[in-house]
Amino acid sequence: MLNRSLLNIEKENTFSKSTRLVKEYKLAHPDADVISLGIGDVSMPIIEPVRNAMKKAVDDLGSMDTFKGYGLYFGLEELRQTILDNEYKGLGLSIDEIYIGDGTKSDSTNILELFDKDSKVLIGNPIYPIYENGAYAYQRELHFGEVDEEFKLKIPKEKYDIIYLCSPANPIGNALTREELKEWIDYANKNKSVIIFDNVYKSFVESDNVPLTAYEVEGAKKCIIEMRSFSKDLSFSSSRCSYYVIPNEIDEDINYYWKERTTNRFNGTSYVSQKGAIAAFSDESKKLIKENIKKYKDNIKYLREELNKLGYSTIGGYDSPYLWVKTKNNMTSWEAFDYFLTKLNIVVVPGEVFGSNGKYNFRISGLGSIENSKRAIERIKKYEENI
Ligand code: PLP
């Protein structure tokens, strides 16, 4: 009695297909100097104050006086309080509404357990594929909404119960403004919908009109569950720690039910990672994190400017580490992937990995090193100037 819905996950246009093709190309061309502009992972190590806190946490586990075992279902109180004080101050939220998770990949789909199985889920196209595949795994009714010319999800006429908004967006690299988010909030409150607001790229926001948290916008506490992660700004992509907020205003019993569920379904994320995450909020850590983010942002800015000079039109790359690039000469996204890989030994992510509307686009990332970006741009320049 296999969950047949899982078969939907096995598709032709996947990230793993592009990874496999790159691997095969490298095997066939062992001398090729392949540069990846596709990476979604970080390329800087964990900062020292956080590492030190993690080492100390390991030592805590070495003595029964300080040992921590089960029981961190919602996360360490110290971490939840630190997040409240640093990230949600003055917004009328309480520690009871904050949960620590083991990553937004799992948080963003596990949250479906909070909602009735008949609830209708709406996502964009293109989109971070995990929401789609999570909805399949949970056998939820899934709908792809229409998008505008900037690939932002349009507010639908019909009612949907759960809407995934990713802002700053992966893969597009743009972000919702306060005004745009307010329109979604009004829609959600009118229709009694809940918005899952994936804000993992919050630290990359630079535009004044983009909210750092959805709760800055009036009415958000009635309909938005906001999710964030330590993966990018703290390089915790293998350490695993994230957090999310379920406001009591959505429903007076919502946190009672979610705590019951969580106590039974989740034994918490690693104590060591949580202690590291607490250390991320010291002044010294904040400064170091800012410096790291600036490097990624300088990188994506460089890629944006150079690609624009080379005649590529792009979206994003201001409030996020990603750039959504239109292919040239009507190439499909897989043709562009092949062109960059075989002619230039550069890896980009085909837009179709993120949905059918990505057919004439590809995603590149500023999460790698600027040195590699410079080498890649030189190659593109040299090659395209001669054709
Ligand atoms: N949400 C988005 C939009 C992402 O791009 C990513 C990772 O790239 C995640 C969530 C996953 O975050 P985590 O590492 O916390 O699971």
Side-chain angles (χ1 to χ4, degrees), residues 341-354:
L341 181 62
T342 58
K343 301 274 189 283
L344 297 162
N345 291 348
I346 292 171
V347 180
V348 300
V349 185
E352 282 160 283
V353 162
F354 305 100

Side-chain angles (χ1 to χ4, degrees), residues 154-270:
K154 282 190 194 168
I155 295 185
K157 298 206 170 44
E158 316 75 40
K159 171 184 159 63
Y160 292 94
D161 304 294
I162 299 159
I163 298 128
Y164 280 93
L165 294 180
C166 182
S167 176
N170 178 11
I172 310 299
N174 55 7
L176 292 173
T177 63
R178 274 188 199 86
E179 293 68 36
E180 288 167 336
L181 186 57
K182 179 75 174 93
E183 286 176 30
W184 274 110
I185 291 168
D186 291 345
Y187 166 89
N189 285 334
K190 193 171 126 221
N191 289 289
K192 299 205 173 326
S193 325
V194 171
I195 295 171
I196 313 298
F197 189 71
D198 183 338
N199 192 10
V200 304
Y201 296 101
K202 170 247 167 188
S203 307
F204 293 82
V205 170
E206 65 181 34
S207 304
D208 289 341
N209 61 354
V210 172
L212 292 175
T213 161
Y215 305 119
E216 280 177 31
V217 184
E218 200 201 324
K221 280 192 287 173
K222 289 193 171 65
C223 60
I224 290 192
I225 294 178
E226 176 166 301
M227 307 202 154
R228 294 188 185 167
S229 167
F230 291 102
S231 288
K232 309 288 157 154
D233 44 5
L234 227 52
S235 296
F236 262 24
S237 44
S238 70
S239 301
R240 314 305 299 148
C241 194
S242 58
Y243 57 97
Y244 54 95
V245 182
I246 305 183
N248 287 328
E249 281 187 39
I250 292 180
D251 178 303
E252 61 183 18
D253 294 326
I254 198 166
N255 277 297
Y256 167 78
Y257 285 113
W258 192 246
K259 287 200 166 70
E260 287 291 303
R261 170 268 173 206
T262 301
T263 308
N264 284 285
R265 298 271 297 116
F266 185 57
N267 264 333
T269 194
S270 143

Side-chain angles (χ1 to χ4, degrees), residues 81-89 202 228 278 281-283 286:
Q81 188 65 48
T82 305
I83 289 167
L84 184 63
D85 295 345
N86 283 271
E87 300 294 317
Y88 297 111
K89 202 169 177 177
K202 170 247 167 188
R228 294 188 185 167
I278 293 167
F281 293 95
S282 72
D283 288 345
K286 282 181 185 168

Side-chain angles (χ1 to χ4, degrees), residues 72 75-76 79 100 241 268-279:
L72 305 177
L76 282 171
L79 177 56
I100 309 301
C241 194
T269 194
S270 143
Y271 170 73
V272 175
S273 299
Q274 293 193 63
K275 284 300 236 185
I278 293 167

Side-chain angles (χ1 to χ4, degrees), residues 123-141:
I123 60 173
N125 172 1
I127 193 77
Y128 176 55
I130 300 306
Y131 315 142
E132 179 189 349
N133 294 333
Y136 292 141
Y138 279 102
Q139 298 186 313
R140 298 306 160 99
E141 186 181 322

